[in-house]
Amino acid sequence: MIDVVEYGPMRRNDPAPPDDPRPRPLSARSVVLSLLLGTHPPELSARELGRLVEGFDVGGSTLRAALSRMVAAGDLRRTDTGYRLSERLLERQRRQDESVEPRTRAWDGDWELVVITATGRGPAERADLRTRLAALRLAELREGVWLRPANLERGLPAALDEVAERCTARPGRPARELAARLWPLDTWSGTARALLGHIDRAARPAERLTAFAAVVRHLLADPVLPPALLPAGWPGDALRSAYGEYRRELTGEVRSRVGGA
């Protein structure tokens, strides 16, 4: 164990929610991705996609144009039977699934600590590494020092050892106070409650898909902290429960429409 010593100003780790959390209408591309990201395995034929997107205000010609652009951009792969998510988006699906059903363990007070040791990296490499560390739900204490409570059932990628040292730590600062400074918990909570309100008001299929696409993006920014470090009334479980119910509903719709194709 080591003590985490603070040097310089603390960093606020925003996946900062937007000031206006109202979901914006989805493009044809976003509708297709939302459907495929929620489908296991993530592959559908053009005919199946056509039947599905009809319920989300996407016409046939718009769908065909979107599919062509998505294949050209590397979002989708053409297969013998239809369209499948690219490897890059399969990783996004994995992260999305984990955000909805995070695997946690009882927390004993330890924190994961990652200290960046690599030097001479360009801005693009540094930005990419920051994105990858944030996706692992780590937060930046100061430049090059990332940490989080060790309550997630997941290992850190072996490739991280090429650029960083990692260990377990017990910060000297009270854990609840440290968590509140590392993550914008009140802001996240407020946006989550606003999204729950939008879900309740969304009636049409396109409105519901749009609302839940925003929910998934927001869940990706949830730090998934131990309950003892969260503010009272934390809405994370309620948001996950609402999305889980919608995913079951959407899966049933996909099976119904595809089965009848």
Side-chain angles (χ1 to χ4, degrees):
M1 304 282 185
I2 66 169
D3 243 9
V4 174
V5 182
E6 238 181 88
Y7 297 93
M10 296 279 290
R11 288 179 175 261
R12 188 71 163 186
N13 291 272
D14 272 349
D19 293 334
D20 181 358
R22 287 175 296 180
R24 293 173 174 77
L26 297 179
S27 65
R29 174 184 179 276
S30 295
V31 170
V32 170
L33 287 183
S34 293
L35 291 170
L36 285 170
L37 285 166
T39 301
H40 296 75
E43 181 174 347
L44 293 167
S45 70
R47 185 179 180 187
E48 290 166 346
L49 282 167
R51 290 174 63 89
L52 288 167
V53 301
E54 285 176 356
F56 302 106
D57 303 336
V58 177
S61 60
T62 302
L63 172 63
R64 288 190 292 274
L67 290 174
S68 295
R69 288 194 295 268
M70 293 168 73
V71 170
D75 294 328
L76 301 181
R77 290 192 297 108
R78 286 296 306 264
T79 68
D80 292 339
T81 56
Y83 295 88
R84 183 179 179 85
L85 292 179
S86 66
E87 292 303 317
R88 172 174 56 82
L89 289 176
L90 285 174
E91 172 61 18
R92 176 173 162 184
Q93 184 185 54
R94 184 193 63 76
R95 290 194 297 111
Q96 177 175 301
D97 290 346
E98 287 183 355
S99 76
V100 176
E101 298 178 355
R103 294 175 299 157
T104 61
R105 63 188 180 211
W107 186 54
D108 62 3
D110 285 349
W111 290 61
E112 296 175 354
L113 178 65
V114 175
V115 180
I116 306 305
T117 55
T119 59
R121 293 168 298 123
E125 290 178 289
R126 292 197 300 271
D128 177 67
L129 180 58
R130 289 176 62 86
T131 298
R132 286 189 287 141
L133 291 170
L136 290 166
R137 290 187 163 83
L138 292 158
E140 195 169 25
L141 177 70
R142 66 178 183 91
E143 187 169 358
V145 178
W146 295 73
L147 72 167
R148 66 155 294 110
N151 70 314
L152 294 181
E153 281 287 357
R154 62 105 170 92
L156 295 173
L160 202 55
D161 293 336
E162 299 173 7
V163 296
E165 293 291 339
R166 46 185 174 159
C167 60
T168 301
R170 287 279 178 124
R173 179 184 292 273
R176 191 179 177 93
E177 179 184 335
L178 180 58
R181 296 193 65 182
L182 286 171
W183 288 280
L185 300 180
D186 289 341
T187 304
W188 193 95
S189 179
T191 301
R193 291 192 180 90
L195 287 171
L196 286 168
H198 290 308
I199 291 167
D200 290 340
R201 294 188 295 274
R204 297 172 60 248
E207 292 172 343
R208 286 173 60 72
L209 183 66
T210 298
F212 279 104
V215 166
V216 170
R217 288 193 298 271
H218 198 53
L219 287 174
L220 287 168
D222 182 357
V224 192
L225 298 177
L229 305 188
L230 293 171
W234 183 254
D237 287 344
L239 204 61
R240 285 189 178 82
S241 177
Y243 180 72
E245 183 176 335
Y246 177 70
R247 186 163 63 171
R248 289 188 291 273
E249 172 190 323
L250 188 60
T251 298
E253 178 72 9
V254 169
R255 288 174 178 165
S256 172
R257 287 180 176 267
V258 168

